[in-house]
Amino acid sequence: LAKTTQPISMDSYEGQEVNITCSHNNIATNDYITWYQQFPSQGPRFIIQGYKTKVTNEVASLFIPADRKSSTLSLPRVSLSDTAVYYCLVGDTPLSGSARQLTFGSGTQLTVLP
Amino acid sequence: NAGVTQTPKFQVLKTGQSMTLQCAQDMNHNSMYWYRQDPGMGLRLIYYSASEGTTDKGEVPNGYNVSRLNKREFSLRLESAAPSQTSVYFCASSERAARAYEQYFGPGTRLTVT
């Protein structure tokens, strides 16, 4: 499982676009990049997943450069309710063989200020 | 459609006591997972079940056992609780093992062992 590195914390203001970058230098060919969001006292929530270039859904965009050694989660026009921990996961499927290392790391604490 | 449900929400045990955490999903998912999250930390995989009838160890299986009762239910048992098992326990499910990185989480069980 590729090791990931994220900033421990970030602050932003309401209405701004937030970009959280995750480094994964030893990403493997079959690995996908997945981001989760977790609010206090709740389970993580799947946000977005991608393999290369750009993926967009109603919540966020995921930018992956050609070398795939990093990825950036982009949250447009954040609000106070986007304050949460964001986790970057990198790994392949199927589960067998890699599941033992299916960990979320410590994530990035995003704080949105008024 | 309740998604993933967990019982109980809170539990206090004395050292040496046993208990079973229950998890059920109504999304017709094949794969289910148990995680623990210690304060300020990311999630660590305890056990998972790629499909009904199969279970396998995750990163931190010691002190736990699991049962995949049927397609909907996946329980986690602590045979002899220890203070080191004080944590928040999350259950999750995914459509199938090949989509392990897109998981849906329950609300968690907060366990304190004194």
Side-chain angles (χ1 to χ4, degrees):
Chain A
L1 191 72
K3 178 177 169 58
T4 61
T5 303
Q6 303 175 234
I8 294 173
S9 65
M10 295 180 66
D11 291 342
S12 182
Y13 291 95
E14 280 191 291
Q16 290 188 333
E17 178 185 73
V18 171
N19 295 310
I20 305 174
T21 297
C22 180
S23 297
H24 27 82
N25 290 321
N26 59 338
I27 189 169
T29 302
N30 294 331
D31 286 348
Y32 280 74
I33 300 157
T34 311
W35 286 81
Y36 282 81
Q37 174 191 57
Q38 186 179 26
F39 298 114
S41 302
Q42 294 186 26
R45 181 176 75 107
F46 172 85
I47 300 176
I48 197 167
Q49 183 178 73
Y51 183 81
K52 62 180 178 180
T53 62
K54 177 184 175 182
V55 180
T56 298
N57 61 23
E58 64 278 6
V59 177
S61 294
L62 178 60
F63 297 91
I64 305 168
D67 66 6
R68 303 201 327 123
K69 293 183 183 301
S70 66
S71 59
T72 299
L73 175 72
S74 180
L75 305 172
R77 298 179 300 281
V78 294
S79 64
L80 297 176
S81 62
D82 291 316
T83 293
V85 177
Y86 292 82
Y87 296 99
C88 165
L89 279 73
V90 174
D92 68 349
T93 56
L95 193 63
S96 179
S98 65
R100 291 179 182 80
Q101 303 169 62
L102 192 65
T103 59
F104 279 63
S106 298
T108 298
Q109 172 66 58
L110 172 66
T111 302
V112 180
L113 305 168
Chain B
N1 190 340
V4 179
T5 57
Q6 295 183 235
T7 55
K9 287 186 169 54
F10 301 93
Q11 184 71 47
V12 179
L13 292 177
K14 295 187 187 306
T15 297
Q17 288 185 318
S18 62
M19 79 161 295
T20 299
L21 282 65
Q22 306 287 353
C23 174
Q25 52 89 12
D26 61 3
M27 296 175 283
N28 201 35
H29 284 174
N30 288 297
S31 302
M32 299 185 72
Y33 315 81
W34 275 105
Y35 294 86
R36 61 177 288 173
Q37 184 173 33
D38 299 327
M41 305 286 286
L43 283 77
R44 291 183 293 171
L45 183 67
I46 304 171
Y47 269 95
Y48 68 98
S49 171
S51 61
E52 186 178 356
T54 69
T55 61
D56 207 345
K57 296 178 180 178
E59 182 187 3
V60 288
N62 292 343
Y64 305 94
N65 285 300
V66 291
S67 295
R68 184 74 183 268
L69 305 171
N70 48 55
K71 189 173 185 179
R72 290 186 63 248
E73 298 172 289
F74 189 37
S75 63
L76 178 72
R77 183 162 178 83
L78 287 71
E79 292 292 350
S80 179
S84 61
Q85 294 178 305
T86 293
S87 190
V88 180
Y89 291 84
F90 290 102
C91 177
S93 69
S94 67
E95 184 180 336
R96 56 187 188 275
R99 296 186 66 83
Y101 283 89
E102 184 174 348
Q103 296 183 26
Y104 295 83
F105 283 79
T109 294
R110 294 183 176 276
L111 175 66
T112 301
V113 182
T114 61

PDB file of all heavy atoms in Angstrom, chain B residues 14-31:
ATOM      1  N   LYS B  14     -15.806  -3.517  32.174  1.00  0.00           N
ATOM      2  CA  LYS B  14     -14.692  -3.695  33.089  1.00  0.00           C
ATOM      3  C   LYS B  14     -13.682  -4.640  32.444  1.00  0.00           C
ATOM      4  O   LYS B  14     -14.041  -5.499  31.622  1.00  0.00           O
ATOM      5  CB  LYS B  14     -15.179  -4.279  34.412  1.00  0.00           C
ATOM      6  CG  LYS B  14     -16.110  -3.361  35.187  1.00  0.00           C
ATOM      7  CD  LYS B  14     -16.406  -3.930  36.556  1.00  0.00           C
ATOM      8  CE  LYS B  14     -17.456  -3.155  37.299  1.00  0.00           C
ATOM      9  NZ  LYS B  14     -17.161  -1.720  37.396  1.00  0.00           N
ATOM     10  N   THR B  15     -12.433  -4.479  32.822  1.00  0.00           N
ATOM     11  CA  THR B  15     -11.383  -5.357  32.306  1.00  0.00           C
ATOM     12  C   THR B  15     -11.768  -6.816  32.501  1.00  0.00           C
ATOM     13  O   THR B  15     -12.186  -7.214  33.596  1.00  0.00           O
ATOM     14  CB  THR B  15     -10.058  -5.066  33.018  1.00  0.00           C
ATOM     15  OG1 THR B  15      -9.667  -3.713  32.730  1.00  0.00           O
ATOM     16  CG2 THR B  15      -8.968  -5.997  32.533  1.00  0.00           C
ATOM     17  N   GLY B  16     -11.632  -7.594  31.426  1.00  0.00           N
ATOM     18  CA  GLY B  16     -11.948  -9.012  31.477  1.00  0.00           C
ATOM     19  C   GLY B  16     -13.344  -9.373  31.017  1.00  0.00           C
ATOM     20  O   GLY B  16     -13.614 -10.539  30.717  1.00  0.00           O
ATOM     21  N   GLN B  17     -14.239  -8.405  30.955  1.00  0.00           N
ATOM     22  CA  GLN B  17     -15.585  -8.694  30.474  1.00  0.00           C
ATOM     23  C   GLN B  17     -15.578  -8.897  28.963  1.00  0.00           C
ATOM     24  O   GLN B  17     -14.646  -8.470  28.266  1.00  0.00           O
ATOM     25  CB  GLN B  17     -16.546  -7.551  30.836  1.00  0.00           C
ATOM     26  CG  GLN B  17     -16.880  -7.476  32.302  1.00  0.00           C
ATOM     27  CD  GLN B  17     -17.921  -6.404  32.606  1.00  0.00           C
ATOM     28  OE1 GLN B  17     -17.880  -5.299  32.062  1.00  0.00           O
ATOM     29  NE2 GLN B  17     -18.853  -6.745  33.484  1.00  0.00           N
ATOM     30  N   SER B  18     -16.625  -9.529  28.483  1.00  0.00           N
ATOM     31  CA  SER B  18     -16.743  -9.754  27.042  1.00  0.00           C
ATOM     32  C   SER B  18     -17.982  -9.039  26.522  1.00  0.00           C
ATOM     33  O   SER B  18     -18.906  -8.731  27.279  1.00  0.00           O
ATOM     34  CB  SER B  18     -16.844 -11.251  26.739  1.00  0.00           C
ATOM     35  OG  SER B  18     -18.005 -11.799  27.333  1.00  0.00           O
ATOM     36  N   MET B  19     -17.963  -8.778  25.244  1.00  0.00           N
ATOM     37  CA  MET B  19     -19.135  -8.196  24.603  1.00  0.00           C
ATOM     38  C   MET B  19     -19.034  -8.352  23.096  1.00  0.00           C
ATOM     39  O   MET B  19     -17.946  -8.599  22.555  1.00  0.00           O
ATOM     40  CB  MET B  19     -19.297  -6.718  24.947  1.00  0.00           C
ATOM     41  CG  MET B  19     -18.402  -5.788  24.185  1.00  0.00           C
ATOM     42  SD  MET B  19     -19.008  -4.082  24.224  1.00  0.00           S
ATOM     43  CE  MET B  19     -20.548  -4.213  23.338  1.00  0.00           C
ATOM     44  N   THR B  20     -20.186  -8.209  22.444  1.00  0.00           N
ATOM     45  CA  THR B  20     -20.256  -8.283  20.990  1.00  0.00           C
ATOM     46  C   THR B  20     -20.838  -6.999  20.447  1.00  0.00           C
ATOM     47  O   THR B  20     -21.891  -6.552  20.902  1.00  0.00           O
ATOM     48  CB  THR B  20     -21.127  -9.476  20.548  1.00  0.00           C
ATOM     49  OG1 THR B  20     -20.535 -10.691  21.039  1.00  0.00           O
ATOM     50  CG2 THR B  20     -21.206  -9.543  19.028  1.00  0.00           C
ATOM     51  N   LEU B  21     -20.147  -6.419  19.489  1.00  0.00           N
ATOM     52  CA  LEU B  21     -20.643  -5.250  18.771  1.00  0.00           C
ATOM     53  C   LEU B  21     -21.351  -5.736  17.507  1.00  0.00           C
ATOM     54  O   LEU B  21     -20.809  -6.559  16.762  1.00  0.00           O
ATOM     55  CB  LEU B  21     -19.503  -4.310  18.393  1.00  0.00           C
ATOM     56  CG  LEU B  21     -18.922  -3.403  19.480  1.00  0.00           C
ATOM     57  CD1 LEU B  21     -18.254  -4.214  20.578  1.00  0.00           C
ATOM     58  CD2 LEU B  21     -17.937  -2.427  18.866  1.00  0.00           C
ATOM     59  N   GLN B  22     -22.543  -5.189  17.300  1.00  0.00           N
ATOM     60  CA  GLN B  22     -23.338  -5.637  16.168  1.00  0.00           C
ATOM     61  C   GLN B  22     -23.294  -4.613  15.035  1.00  0.00           C
ATOM     62  O   GLN B  22     -23.238  -3.409  15.269  1.00  0.00           O
ATOM     63  CB  GLN B  22     -24.802  -5.842  16.598  1.00  0.00           C
ATOM     64  CG  GLN B  22     -24.989  -6.764  17.781  1.00  0.00           C
ATOM     65  CD  GLN B  22     -24.749  -8.220  17.444  1.00  0.00           C
ATOM     66  OE1 GLN B  22     -24.555  -8.594  16.276  1.00  0.00           O
ATOM     67  NE2 GLN B  22     -24.738  -9.068  18.469  1.00  0.00           N
ATOM     68  N   CYS B  23     -23.318  -5.115  13.822  1.00  0.00           N
ATOM     69  CA  CYS B  23     -23.341  -4.251  12.636  1.00  0.00           C
ATOM     70  C   CYS B  23     -24.242  -4.884  11.585  1.00  0.00           C
ATOM     71  O   CYS B  23     -24.179  -6.104  11.362  1.00  0.00           O
ATOM     72  CB  CYS B  23     -21.933  -4.084  12.074  1.00  0.00           C
ATOM     73  SG  CYS B  23     -21.864  -3.179  10.518  1.00  0.00           S
ATOM     74  N   ALA B  24     -25.052  -4.052  10.949  1.00  0.00           N
ATOM     75  CA  ALA B  24     -25.907  -4.535   9.871  1.00  0.00           C
ATOM     76  C   ALA B  24     -25.972  -3.486   8.768  1.00  0.00           C
ATOM     77  O   ALA B  24     -25.935  -2.292   9.045  1.00  0.00           O
ATOM     78  CB  ALA B  24     -27.306  -4.841  10.393  1.00  0.00           C
ATOM     79  N   GLN B  25     -26.074  -3.961   7.520  1.00  0.00           N
ATOM     80  CA  GLN B  25     -26.214  -3.040   6.382  1.00  0.00           C
ATOM     81  C   GLN B  25     -27.370  -3.523   5.503  1.00  0.00           C
ATOM     82  O   GLN B  25     -27.600  -4.723   5.357  1.00  0.00           O
ATOM     83  CB  GLN B  25     -24.899  -2.930   5.592  1.00  0.00           C
ATOM     84  CG  GLN B  25     -24.262  -4.230   5.155  1.00  0.00           C
ATOM     85  CD  GLN B  25     -24.725  -4.758   3.808  1.00  0.00           C
ATOM     86  OE1 GLN B  25     -25.382  -4.048   3.045  1.00  0.00           O
ATOM     87  NE2 GLN B  25     -24.382  -6.006   3.502  1.00  0.00           N
ATOM     88  N   ASP B  26     -28.062  -2.545   4.942  1.00  0.00           N
ATOM     89  CA  ASP B  26     -29.224  -2.879   4.109  1.00  0.00           C
ATOM     90  C   ASP B  26     -29.015  -2.461   2.654  1.00  0.00           C
ATOM     91  O   ASP B  26     -29.974  -2.208   1.924  1.00  0.00           O
ATOM     92  CB  ASP B  26     -30.491  -2.244   4.680  1.00  0.00           C
ATOM     93  CG  ASP B  26     -30.428  -0.725   4.720  1.00  0.00           C
ATOM     94  OD1 ASP B  26     -29.417  -0.150   4.259  1.00  0.00           O
ATOM     95  OD2 ASP B  26     -31.391  -0.115   5.214  1.00  0.00           O
ATOM     96  N   MET B  27     -27.769  -2.371   2.222  1.00  0.00           N
ATOM     97  CA  MET B  27     -27.450  -1.931   0.873  1.00  0.00           C
ATOM     98  C   MET B  27     -27.109  -3.106  -0.046  1.00  0.00           C
ATOM     99  O   MET B  27     -26.645  -2.900  -1.168  1.00  0.00           O
ATOM    100  CB  MET B  27     -26.281  -0.944   0.930  1.00  0.00           C
ATOM    101  CG  MET B  27     -26.636   0.329   1.681  1.00  0.00           C
ATOM    102  SD  MET B  27     -25.240   1.451   1.885  1.00  0.00           S
ATOM    103  CE  MET B  27     -24.370   0.642   3.213  1.00  0.00           C
ATOM    104  N   ASN B  28     -27.293  -4.331   0.460  1.00  0.00           N
ATOM    105  CA  ASN B  28     -26.981  -5.530  -0.320  1.00  0.00           C
ATOM    106  C   ASN B  28     -25.502  -5.600  -0.708  1.00  0.00           C
ATOM    107  O   ASN B  28     -25.150  -6.133  -1.762  1.00  0.00           O
ATOM    108  CB  ASN B  28     -27.852  -5.632  -1.575  1.00  0.00           C
ATOM    109  CG  ASN B  28     -27.926  -7.067  -2.098  1.00  0.00           C
ATOM    110  OD1 ASN B  28     -27.929  -8.021  -1.333  1.00  0.00           O
ATOM    111  ND2 ASN B  28     -27.982  -7.202  -3.407  1.00  0.00           N
ATOM    112  N   HIS B  29     -24.659  -5.055   0.179  1.00  0.00           N
ATOM    113  CA  HIS B  29     -23.227  -5.089  -0.074  1.00  0.00           C
ATOM    114  C   HIS B  29     -22.643  -6.455   0.267  1.00  0.00           C
ATOM    115  O   HIS B  29     -23.108  -7.138   1.186  1.00  0.00           O
ATOM    116  CB  HIS B  29     -22.518  -4.014   0.747  1.00  0.00           C
ATOM    117  CG  HIS B  29     -22.697  -2.651   0.184  1.00  0.00           C
ATOM    118  ND1 HIS B  29     -22.235  -1.512   0.840  1.00  0.00           N
ATOM    119  CD2 HIS B  29     -23.264  -2.211  -0.964  1.00  0.00           C
ATOM    120  CE1 HIS B  29     -22.509  -0.451   0.094  1.00  0.00           C
ATOM    121  NE2 HIS B  29     -23.139  -0.852  -0.991  1.00  0.00           N
ATOM    122  N   ASN B  30     -21.599  -6.812  -0.472  1.00  0.00           N
ATOM    123  CA  ASN B  30     -20.957  -8.099  -0.236  1.00  0.00           C
ATOM    124  C   ASN B  30     -19.865  -8.038   0.832  1.00  0.00           C
ATOM    125  O   ASN B  30     -19.622  -9.009   1.530  1.00  0.00           O
ATOM    126  CB  ASN B  30     -20.342  -8.616  -1.538  1.00  0.00           C
ATOM    127  CG  ASN B  30     -21.399  -9.084  -2.515  1.00  0.00           C
ATOM    128  OD1 ASN B  30     -22.135 -10.022  -2.241  1.00  0.00           O
ATOM    129  ND2 ASN B  30     -21.487  -8.419  -3.641  1.00  0.00           N
ATOM    130  N   SER B  31     -19.187  -6.910   0.933  1.00  0.00           N
ATOM    131  CA  SER B  31     -18.011  -6.821   1.811  1.00  0.00           C
ATOM    132  C   SER B  31     -18.293  -5.939   3.015  1.00  0.00           C
ATOM    133  O   SER B  31     -18.970  -4.916   2.911  1.00  0.00           O
ATOM    134  CB  SER B  31     -16.823  -6.258   1.020  1.00  0.00           C
ATOM    135  OG  SER B  31     -16.540  -7.065  -0.103  1.00  0.00           O
TER     136      SER B  31
END
